[in-house]
Amino acid sequence: MSQGAVADFGLIGLAVMGQNLILNAADHGFTVCAYNRTVSKVEHFLNNEAKGKSIVGATSIEDFIKKLKRPRKIMLLVKAGKPVDYIINDLLPHLEKGDIIIDGGNSHFPDTNRRYEELSAKGILFVGSGVSGGEDGARYGPSLMPGGAEEAWPHIKEIFQSIAAKSDGEPCCDWVGPAGAGHYVKMVHNGIEYGDMQLICEAYDIMKRIGRFTDKEISEVFATWNKGVLDSFLIEITRDILAYDDVDGKPLVEKILDTAGQKGTGKWTAINALDLGMPVTLIGEAVFARCLSALKKERVLASKHLTGPEIPEDAVKDKKQFVDDLEQALYASKIISYAQGFMLIGEAAKTYGWKLNNPAIALMWRGGCIIRSVFLGEITKAYRENPDLENLLLHRFFADAVIKAQQGWRKTVGLATTYGVPTPTFSTALAFYDGYRSARLPANLLQAQRDYFGAHTFRVLPEEASETLPVDKDIHINWTGHGGNVSSTTYDA
Ligand code: 6PG
């Protein structure tokens, strides 16, 4: 060990997540070396939050490297994008083969794939780790989703699993898979987070506009839901947000501008779903709902021109039934969203050649992260029973749950449609459910249309095959009598 190499772990980036993760690691008995490009931040941290703890600081990259035990384990918690590459380039001249760099930011997985390749060629073990749970999670137990160079795992496993959240005594952290797999799984986590949040917002909107509930009443509904199948972090914070009053005694949430922000992880998930041809409709709608919300000026203008149905005061006759139906709609839509998320993960594993561990992923999301919930315990159980489960919806527990929930779900979507309250995620979830359970969809007509105008060919149903319509052959029909007999070629990407 080089002289002065005292730290088990080094962390670069002393913004809120970095500081909290260092404090968490120190609480678990590790000595951590803290470094930040703006060195004054290190000093401030050491003299304040880090005082009296097993935390040392570094004044330069050289100093930082010297203070780390080998193989060096360096975690970066800096802004995703270029800053990650800058820091890696600063570190590289000082590192040795076998040293480990962990990127804990919300990096886009293709960047992680690239960094993993570049650093592997140099003998550096690169790990891209999803870190979820915000400030509190980082401090008291985040969900950690590491992937990349698997040789790094035995060296970082102990620290990662000690600082991670625990669910029924098990750490919400396990090895995800190769290259960018860790950041990929974090990206899907964020997409699901977008979906869960939008579903909750639609439930709130329906209670407010159709049920004419006050924010306090809605908060109480969420409090009740939080004791049942929907028990989760996002339902819990929504309960508290709706009960929070401004200084004038009015609910603060009603004063907030209704245009949603986004940093892009939900959008990446939706784009990736399109790239992989997976119908991850709920996350897609959740992203678009944020985009539509951002068109505030245009919406205000449109609200003066485009009319919709009036919502009568007594639209809801039986409040208890209305709330129960809504709970079922939320539960069923959530099942669809997670089923879609795992479909995407499954397809990514095939496309990118990754071996991904579904039960471990569900467990990593069970605690510590933003989407943590009791429900994820059921998903963990389902995948533990059968890690190769084709689809969550085909597992008895979830199949029974959606079948049971569908009456309330359909009533809720019907009610919202009747009264003109937008429910993009509730509705798309239901449309997906009905599409997924349809042995026959109208794509036969679509194929005919494609062949009619573009000679794109079609295949015939095996039971309808004949001499003129042979099975397993691309067929083109001269629908109009004046088209040619040559079918179109496909675009070769
Ligand atoms: C987490 C969150 C976090 C994410 C924010 C903001 O897991 O702790 O997913 O990583 O950055 O939730 O995301 P948006 O700004 O895109 O809503």
Side-chain angles (χ1 to χ4, degrees):
M1 198 192 296
S2 70
Q3 213 195 3
V6 290
D8 305 299
F9 194 65
L11 197 141
I12 301 182
L14 292 185
V16 66
M17 293 294 283
Q19 291 197 12
N20 281 313
L21 217 64
I22 293 174
L23 295 170
N24 181 355
D27 282 353
H28 284 88
F30 298 95
T31 300
V32 191
C33 183
Y35 178 64
N36 198 78
R37 270 194 158 188
T38 313
V39 180
S40 57
K41 269 200 164 183
V42 180
E43 211 173 307
H44 186 270
F45 180 55
L46 290 178
N47 292 330
N48 292 279
E49 297 87 345
K51 212 173 185 137
K53 297 189 183 278
S54 54
I55 300 169
V56 293
T59 50
S60 64
I61 286 271
E62 292 81 356
D63 185 30
F64 177 69
I65 298 289
K66 265 192 223 141
K67 287 184 170 144
L68 299 176
K69 293 182 195 165
R70 291 189 175 89
R72 299 179 180 94
K73 295 167 272 299
I74 302 168
M75 184 147 182
L76 316 182
L77 270 168
V78 297
K79 215 168 177 289
K82 288 264 182 300
V84 178
D85 291 311
Y86 296 149
I87 299 273
I88 291 176
N89 286 338
D90 285 352
L91 284 168
L92 270 179
H94 309 282
L95 297 181
E96 289 165 18
K97 280 194 183 357
D99 283 344
I100 300 164
I101 300 181
I102 307 150
D103 172 17
N106 263 333
S107 291
H108 197 194
F109 78 95
D111 287 337
T112 308
N113 285 341
R114 170 181 56 79
R115 291 174 186 135
Y116 165 76
E117 292 297 336
E118 289 169 1
L119 291 169
S120 296
K122 294 184 164 68
I124 304 298
L125 306 180
F126 186 65
V127 174
S129 180
V131 177
S132 178
E135 207 176 315
D136 260 17
R139 180 68 185 89
Y140 302 108
S143 157
L144 297 171
M145 302 154 234
E150 198 165 356
E151 308 92 285
W153 184 227
H155 299 287
I156 60 170
K157 184 174 174 178
E158 194 197 341
I159 180 160
F160 264 51
Q161 293 197 333
S162 335
I163 63 174
K166 308 288 176 301
S167 164
D168 298 326
E170 292 186 85
C172 296
C173 168
D174 205 342
W175 188 252
V176 176
H183 275 141
Y184 185 87
V185 165
K186 174 62 179 20
M187 176 191 80
V188 178
H189 162 283
N190 279 29
I192 291 179
E193 171 186 307
Y194 275 49
D196 279 359
M197 291 167 82
Q198 176 62 26
L199 284 169
I200 291 173
C201 290
E202 289 172 23
Y204 148 78
D205 206 21
I206 290 173
M207 282 189 265
K208 196 168 98 170
R209 288 163 72 179
I210 304 180
R212 293 176 190 262
F213 287 20
T214 63
D215 285 40
K216 294 284 166 307
E217 286 169 329
I218 303 174
S219 170
E220 279 156 27
V221 171
F222 281 109
T224 310
W225 287 353
N226 203 39
K227 294 182 188 121
V229 290
L230 294 173
D231 180 347
S232 60
F233 171 71
L234 285 169
I235 294 279
E236 185 186 314
I237 65 164
T238 307
R239 171 199 70 193
D240 297 346
I241 289 168
L242 287 158
Y244 191 98
D245 288 335
D246 194 9
V247 280
D248 60 2
K250 292 187 182 142
L252 178 66
V253 70
E254 300 306 332
K255 299 184 177 183
I256 296 177
L257 182 69
D258 53 324
T259 66
Q262 52 182 317
K263 294 195 196 78
T265 45
K267 180 182 81 178
W268 293 342
T269 315
I271 291 174
N272 181 255
L274 289 171
D275 282 343
L276 300 190
M278 280 291 111
V280 186
T281 61
L282 197 140
I283 295 175
E285 286 294 348
V287 176
F288 285 133
R290 290 196 190 194
C291 299
L292 181 59
S293 81
L295 304 178
K296 174 76 173 177
K297 226 169 121 200
E298 218 173 305
R299 288 190 289 112
V300 170
L301 178 68
S303 72
K304 301 194 171 87
H305 296 280
L306 306 174
T307 58
E310 283 293 317
I311 307 178
E313 252 179 65
D314 63 346
V316 172
K317 308 264 180 314
D318 181 343
K319 282 196 172 186
K320 173 158 185 343
Q321 189 60 53
F322 166 74
V323 168
D324 287 348
D325 289 345
L326 199 51
E327 183 182 19
Q328 294 306 308
L330 191 41
Y331 185 43
S333 304
K334 202 171 147 104
I335 293 173
I336 298 295
S337 182
Y338 284 67
Q340 292 183 344
F342 276 97
M343 283 166 75
L344 184 60
I345 288 174
E347 190 57 29
K350 277 191 224 151
T351 307
Y352 307 133
W354 295 338
K355 184 153 176 34
L356 300 179
N357 181 348
N358 281 339
I361 294 169
L363 180 69
M364 279 181 258
W365 294 349
R366 167 74 185 83
C369 61
I370 304 297
I371 64 171
R372 63 185 179 262
S373 65
V374 164
F375 168 80
L376 270 155
E378 296 298 340
I379 300 184
T380 311
K381 226 193 281 171
Y383 277 120
R384 276 190 173 156
E385 259 169 55
N386 178 7
D388 301 317
L389 184 65
E390 177 85 24
N391 191 301
L392 263 190
L393 288 170
L394 299 177
H395 185 272
R396 208 54 267 157
F397 177 86
F398 294 104
D400 286 347
V402 272
I403 291 167
K404 205 170 135 234
Q406 72 178 302
Q407 203 195 354
W409 189 13
R410 290 184 193 282
K411 272 164 67 189
T412 299
V413 170
L415 191 72
T417 309
T418 304
Y419 290 124
V421 174
T423 55
T425 50
F426 280 142
S427 305
T428 198
L430 188 52
F432 174 89
Y433 177 67
D434 287 333
Y436 189 69
R437 62 179 194 85
S438 293
R440 189 154 166 83
L441 285 170
N444 50 330
L445 175 58
L446 193 132
Q447 285 296 81
Q449 292 166 333
R450 292 178 67 240
D451 191 54
Y452 185 108
F453 64 67
H456 294 294
T457 75
F458 59 86
R459 293 270 173 125
V460 75
L461 285 165
E463 63 272 25
E464 297 296 342
S466 65
E467 218 168 284
T468 47
L469 297 175
V471 78
D472 291 340
K473 287 251 152 40
D474 295 325
I475 301 167
H476 169 56
I477 292 287
N478 186 349
W479 298 90
T480 56
H482 54 72
N485 283 321
V486 182
S487 57
S488 85
T489 52
T490 48
Y491 171 70
D492 202 359

